[in-house]
Amino acid sequence: MGKERPAGLNNSLHGLRFVAAFMVMLHHLIYPGDLHVKTWAGALGAGGYLGVTVFFVLSGFVISYKYWDDFERPTPSAYWHFMVRRFARIYPLYFVLLMILFYNLGVPHNLLMLLTMTQALSPPHYGDGIGQAWTLTVELMFYLVAPAIIFVGHWRKALWAAFIAAAMVAIYLQIRVRHIPDGHFVVFNTIAGRMVEFMLGVVAAQTAIVRRPAAITLKKLIGADIAIGCAFVGLCGLIGWYDVRATGVPSGDSVVGWALRDLFAVFCAFVVYRLMERSGPLYSFLGSRVMTAWGKYSYAIYLVHAGIIWSLVSGANFWLRVGLVMLIAQFFYLYVEEPCRRAVTSTLDAIGSMIGLVPSAREAVDPIAEVP
């Protein structure tokens, strides 16, 4: 069954979150101006949507690692406090930005779907409201089943069986994508097609807990980290280039394209596991003070970089637009996201205590920041 966690989470995961958010922002900023990916920057821009894969793998890892002990023996209290923290983490900023959107564009007919973050359950509406927020629907679906998955994860064979099942579903959908109704939507925008990415993060977390990542000599680390960085950038560029060349658009439906994306997801799980070694230039860079800070702003960057706020800076040049978006995101993190997260958490914890759902001892003293 359970085994004591070797060490807590670390700040390099914040840095990786920023990389993921920045990738998605560059995708929406670079690619439309280089439709034929004639440059390497254009290829990276086209492949920037893979930042979503990084988010999903990282989410599976962090949630499993952080709540591993709580769900060894699941209780209503543990589930309540898990969902409270997930809700407080993603909903307040989303709600505020949604209100800004409604103020500018009016209240849409699918108001209830947008307010409940379920718009991505419907193919015609998955891009409504804050377009990129379809990923929050997928995240929400994972949150609902994560406690059960973590519970199963305490039996290694059962976890691998669940992972293989998720992989088989994803591969089947990818192969049949052109033959099922709304095939691309099902594979790319729903939990059915994306569950395997979360599961890769869960498997990486279980491995990191049971088998602590081994220390490697500095000389080997430098070489390995250079290779990892080059492979990460190279895969993004290659996938972006291949997508557009083979199908005309990023994330197009081709068997080779889906296989390359699956390979990238596996690589992301390896990178996350590698960061838990807590040594080497990659860990130092992603865990630096600057990357950690921007990693904390990454959710705001992800939500504000497109839509109404994005249109406000549409006339500026590339780097000015990036800088303005990041400053706006920093403002929303400091004065909206974080204060609201604390207020919502405190309020719902008080309600939980009133109805007998008392936080666990570990949760009450857990110093780990609310990472992805």
Side-chain angles (χ1 to χ4, degrees):
M1 288 289 289
K3 189 172 183 176
E4 185 179 356
R5 179 184 287 100
L9 296 166
N10 64 71
N11 286 334
S12 65
L13 301 181
H14 279 304
L16 187 59
R17 288 179 67 211
F18 172 66
V19 171
F22 199 77
M23 287 170 63
V24 177
M25 181 170 63
L26 290 186
H27 174 67
H28 291 138
L29 182 59
I30 294 179
Y31 171 70
D34 190 0
L35 296 176
H36 303 290
V37 291
K38 294 179 180 179
T39 66
W40 183 245
L44 286 175
Y49 71 90
L50 292 166
V52 173
T53 294
V54 180
F55 274 129
F56 288 163
V57 173
L58 191 54
S59 183
F61 179 90
V62 170
I63 287 173
S64 300
Y65 200 96
K66 179 176 174 62
Y67 294 97
W68 188 260
D69 295 338
D70 289 350
F71 293 113
E72 181 176 1
R73 294 180 178 84
T75 64
S77 178
Y79 192 80
W80 168 269
H81 288 278
F82 167 74
M83 291 305 296
V84 163
R85 278 147 184 79
R86 294 298 91 208
F87 176 81
R89 178 69 180 86
I90 68 173
Y91 194 77
L93 179 61
Y94 170 79
F95 179 81
V96 170
L97 293 175
L98 207 58
M99 293 303 103
I100 295 174
L101 188 71
F102 292 167
Y103 178 80
N104 283 273
L105 300 180
V107 178
H109 68 281
N110 60 335
L111 174 64
L112 183 60
M113 296 179 69
L114 294 175
L115 288 176
T116 57
M117 296 191 297
T118 56
Q119 64 270 30
L121 296 179
S122 171
H125 300 292
Y126 81 93
D128 290 354
I130 302 171
Q132 63 275 26
W134 66 265
T135 61
L136 300 185
T137 302
V138 181
E139 283 274 353
L140 181 61
M141 297 300 103
F142 175 67
Y143 293 164
L144 294 175
V145 299
I149 293 172
I150 297 171
F151 173 70
V152 169
H154 286 82
W155 291 272
R156 189 171 182 81
K157 290 182 179 179
L159 177 61
W160 276 99
F163 167 71
I164 292 171
M168 290 178 66
V169 169
I171 292 171
Y172 172 79
L173 292 175
Q174 291 166 9
I175 293 174
R176 299 288 299 170
V177 64
R178 297 179 185 273
H179 305 285
I180 57 178
D182 299 305
H184 181 81
F185 167 79
V186 172
V187 179
F188 194 78
N189 301 102
T190 71
I191 191 65
R194 294 288 195 162
M195 189 64 185
V196 65
E197 297 174 358
F198 291 102
M199 290 301 299
L200 280 166
V202 177
V203 169
Q206 197 264 6
T207 305
I209 291 170
V210 176
R211 300 178 180 177
R212 183 173 184 174
I216 306 175
T217 63
L218 179 61
K219 184 177 180 180
K220 290 183 178 179
L221 277 173
I222 294 175
D225 284 355
I226 291 174
I228 289 172
C230 291
F232 189 92
V233 175
L235 273 173
C236 288
L238 172 64
I239 294 171
W241 174 85
Y242 180 83
D243 281 347
V244 177
R245 292 293 182 177
T247 66
V249 294
S251 72
D253 296 325
S254 70
V255 174
V256 174
W258 287 115
L260 287 172
R261 290 168 216 149
D262 292 340
L263 175 63
F264 181 78
V266 174
F267 184 72
C268 288
F270 166 75
V271 171
V272 173
Y273 180 81
R274 160 74 188 86
L275 291 175
M276 295 305 290
E277 292 172 356
R278 304 167 187 276
S279 58
L282 184 64
Y283 167 80
S284 298
F285 170 68
L286 292 176
S288 64
R289 189 170 297 179
V290 172
M291 292 297 288
T292 297
W294 285 112
K296 293 179 179 179
Y297 309 149
S298 61
Y299 180 55
I301 292 172
Y302 181 75
L303 285 187
V304 308
H305 82 268
I308 293 295
I309 295 175
W310 185 251
S311 66
L312 295 177
V313 295
S314 60
N317 66 37
F318 175 82
W319 288 112
L320 182 57
R321 291 176 77 183
V322 170
L324 288 173
V325 167
M326 291 174 69
L327 286 176
I328 293 170
Q330 184 180 13
F331 170 84
F332 274 103
Y333 172 81
L334 293 174
Y335 298 106
V336 178
E337 180 185 346
E338 187 61 10
C340 288
R341 180 187 70 80
R342 293 180 178 179
V344 170
T345 300
S346 176
T347 300
L348 294 179
D349 273 351
I351 293 173
S353 296
M354 291 172 59
I355 60 178
L357 298 175
V358 181
S360 67
R362 192 183 72 82
E363 186 70 61
V365 300
D366 191 357
I368 300 173
E370 281 293 324
V371 286

